[in-house]
Amino acid sequence: MNELLLTDEERDRAGTRLLAVLDGYERGLRRAQVLPEPDRAKLTELLNTPMPEQGRGVDAVFDSWEDTILPNSTAIAHPRFLAYVLGPPHGIAPYAEAVAAALNQNCNFWQLSPAAGVVERSVLEWLARVVGYPSASKGILTRGGSLATLQAMVVALNDRVPGFRESGLQRDAAPLVVYTSVEAHRSVDKAAAILGIGLGNVRHISTDDQRRMDVQALRQAIGDDREAGLRPWCVIATCGTVSTGSVDPLDAIADLCETEDLWLHVDGAYGALFLLSERMRDLMGGCARADSITLDPHKLLFASLEAGCLLVRDGTKLRDAYAFDSSYLTVADDPLMTDYMDYGPQLSRNFKAFKVWSALQAFGVEAFRTANERTLDLAQRLARGIEATPGLTLLAPVTLTAVCFEVAGADHTELLKTLAAENVALLGPVVVAGKRGIRACVTNHRTTAADIDLVLGRLRQISPRTAPPRRTRPAAAEPR
Ligand SMILES: Cc1ncc(COP(=O)(O)O)c(C=O)c1O
């Protein structure tokens, strides 16, 4: 008897209860509170429970999941979870995650993960084709977009700073400078701080009236820095900025990076996977010219967290930045296998590719294209509704699925709370060009036109310009 395994009966029981949890979750989603009021007493009790000396058995674990964890979890998958950029998982995710946990492949080198390594490589090659990268590109799945960008910056340092691996940034040399826009995600600043570049060496370039990086201002900043004796090093353009979804002028930036000999990274965590759709080709085709790119399968490919992705156009540069010899690992020079420990900072890595690959097998890329195009259409529907409503004003053009607007005369923080409390929707705050407002981001494959209309309807009712605020708390009428 092994105290850490389940008996045959317990496995049966766990299986039955797991299916019941998953089924109940899916069926109850539409009726669930998007942002439940946390039961503080229960969570405090959870926190104060001492480490159990004796196990309580499978049923007790499931009971506590149902009693404490599920009711106190944000319903990320609810059709009107429209906050932040966070796609709800696709339907095969829980099953793929369960099998991946059982297999527990260590996706670091071939011997510990032969099939998993090939699956990861296959997913990366598919994604590279979507971006338009050549076959010489290589990549790695990461824990998310933030880390993909940080890992890309390491590649850029290794490639552009002579002696970087041996001497790091400790040599007495002029500061390196990285350029991004004022609309860039905070992960760029964070990576610069973590890597020792220093926030003072991050230039936040101004944007045009569509929130896109101003290339003339970028050129000027690079010139100014060169003149001041600094070392312009890397540009991080954004394909889908986090607040408004704007897409920087990628081709013009790529031209400038070529002329100035700078590394170009594209943060495509939010937007670049819209390249699955033909209608985004003109806007985003320049992604193919970047030296490296961040994608986020846990956003537009609806993988369960965590699944980010870094692709590097010249794959040898990725390996050069991360490969180290180690006498205690059994590596083999096999063209089929990839030792992912040589492509990123981690040694032990889980099998993230499995859920991405399984979903593409189960549903096909066409299903993802359709779902993403639907979110683009729904964002336009919301934008049109806002434009047509007195008292509501768009704060930025709607390029992708982020819809930013202000409600004249409203306290936006209170309005967000009201919408969440009434279970109309969970939306997020935004500041665009200094103006505070509300942001709906339709990154949700479950959202329908009826959901968008429900949100619009309530906004019309409670907008101070169109109606006096209602005192009662109407339950959100569920669209069918
Ligand atoms: C443009 C952009 N970059 C980076 C990130 C960070 O991605 P992650 O949360 O996967 O680290 C986000 C997240 O929303 C984003 O929108």
Side-chain angles (χ1 to χ4, degrees):
M1 135 105 186
N2 178 331
E3 51 284 88
L4 292 182
L5 294 179
L6 303 185
T7 62
D8 291 352
E9 292 77 42
E10 284 172 326
R11 272 204 314 282
D12 266 359
R13 187 84 192 115
T16 307
R17 293 214 51 184
L18 175 65
L19 293 186
V21 166
L22 295 180
D23 192 52
Y25 188 73
E26 185 64 41
R27 288 177 194 278
L29 207 46
R30 221 171 229 295
R31 278 172 283 114
Q33 188 75 18
V34 186
L35 188 64
E37 188 62 41
D39 182 338
R40 305 190 75 82
K42 262 213 171 106
L43 294 180
T44 305
E45 186 190 323
L46 181 153
L47 183 66
N48 293 335
T49 305
M51 192 191 286
E53 187 55 38
Q54 300 297 324
R56 296 194 296 129
V58 168
D59 269 311
V61 171
F62 273 94
D63 288 346
S64 66
W65 292 355
E66 289 182 333
D67 181 56
T68 307
I69 307 300
L70 270 73
N72 289 295
S73 294
T74 305
I76 304 290
H78 188 287
R80 292 188 305 281
F81 177 91
L82 303 172
Y84 317 110
V85 194
L86 181 51
H90 49 62
I92 201 86
Y95 306 92
E97 294 275 37
V99 174
L103 294 178
N104 206 30
Q105 295 295 280
N106 198 338
C107 300
N108 50 10
F109 62 100
W110 68 275
Q111 198 184 43
L112 303 188
S113 48
V118 174
V119 165
E120 180 158 352
R121 182 171 162 189
S122 170
V123 165
L124 290 163
E125 290 185 2
W126 290 343
L127 296 180
R129 293 304 92 76
V130 171
V131 167
Y133 266 12
S135 56
S137 66
K138 289 265 185 244
I140 185 164
L141 293 187
T142 66
R143 306 193 67 143
S146 307
L147 279 185
T149 294
L150 185 140
Q151 289 172 222
M153 287 166 80
V154 172
V155 182
L157 284 170
N158 197 62
D159 188 61
R160 298 301 167 100
V161 179
F164 173 69
R165 178 169 281 198
E166 291 311 318
S167 315
L169 296 174
Q170 308 282 40
R171 293 186 327 176
D172 204 9
L176 299 162
V177 186
V178 55
Y179 303 83
T180 194
S181 92
V182 288
E183 295 290 327
H185 192 261
R186 66 188 199 135
S187 54
V188 175
D189 280 348
K190 203 168 181 178
I194 291 169
L195 292 172
I197 302 299
L199 289 179
N201 298 311
V202 182
R203 301 280 177 268
H204 296 100
I205 305 298
S206 55
T207 51
D208 63 14
D209 58 354
Q210 302 201 37
R211 329 305 312 159
R212 303 172 302 191
M213 196 192 292
D214 176 342
V215 184
Q216 187 44 39
L218 173 64
R219 183 178 292 110
Q220 180 73 41
I222 295 168
D224 290 349
D225 284 331
R226 282 203 202 286
E227 226 172 276
L230 307 181
R231 285 186 295 166
W233 153 66
C234 173
V235 175
I236 301 187
T238 311
C239 180
T241 56
V242 61
S243 294
T244 69
S246 61
V247 176
D248 285 339
L250 301 171
D251 273 311
I253 295 172
D255 289 344
L256 184 60
C257 286
E258 266 170 38
T259 313
E260 296 282 347
D261 195 23
L262 302 183
W263 183 277
L264 172 59
H265 178 73
V266 169
D267 176 1
Y270 169 17
L273 280 169
F274 279 115
L275 275 165
L276 287 171
S277 172
E278 232 1 83
R279 56 165 124 147
M280 287 294 159
R281 281 275 148 206
D282 286 350
L283 186 66
M284 300 183 175
C287 283
R289 295 180 60 194
D291 293 293
S292 53
I293 183 164
T294 290
L295 308 174
D296 238 356
H298 64 209
K299 295 187 169 64
L300 302 189
L301 288 184
F302 306 110
S304 44
L305 295 165
E306 301 164 347
C309 172
L310 166 64
L311 296 172
V312 179
R313 187 148 46 84
D314 177 350
T316 57
K317 295 185 176 179
L318 178 60
R319 194 170 185 287
D320 287 349
Y322 288 105
F324 275 76
D325 287 336
S326 37
S327 55
Y328 50 87
L329 300 173
T330 318
V331 293
D333 202 6
D334 181 333
L336 182 62
M337 305 293 176
T338 308
D339 298 323
Y340 280 99
M341 64 185 176
D342 290 340
Y343 290 81
Q346 285 178 272
L347 182 56
S348 293
R349 298 175 65 242
N350 68 0
F351 190 6
K352 292 181 185 27
F354 195 42
K355 56 200 169 193
V356 180
W357 181 84
S358 300
L360 286 162
Q361 300 288 339
F363 306 116
V365 71
E366 179 63 36
F368 287 94
R369 189 175 298 122
T370 304
N372 281 322
E373 288 183 353
R374 188 166 63 239
T375 64
L376 289 166
D377 293 341
L378 290 174
Q380 290 301 331
R381 183 183 185 97
L382 179 56
R384 284 196 307 271
I386 285 167
E387 281 173 325
T389 305
L392 304 186
T393 313
L394 285 179
L395 289 176
V398 178
T399 310
L400 302 178
T401 54
V403 182
C404 303
F405 59 98
E406 79 180 315
V407 183
D411 176 333
H412 290 109
T413 310
E414 285 306 312
L415 193 50
L416 286 170
K417 280 191 203 153
T418 304
L419 293 172
E422 293 177 357
N423 215 26
V424 170
L426 187 70
L427 309 178
V430 76
V431 179
V432 181
K435 280 193 178 165
R436 290 190 179 279
I438 287 180
R439 174 176 173 282
C441 193
V442 196
T443 323
N444 191 328
H445 57 76
R446 283 193 179 78
T447 310
T448 63
D451 289 307
I452 296 296
D453 293 348
L454 188 149
V455 175
L456 271 170
R458 188 65 185 126
L459 282 170
R460 283 187 186 121
Q461 281 178 339
I462 60 182
S463 162
R465 281 281 166 85
T466 51
R470 291 173 57 166
R471 297 216 177 275
T472 48
R473 227 182 93 165
E478 281 306 328
R480 302 200 165 262

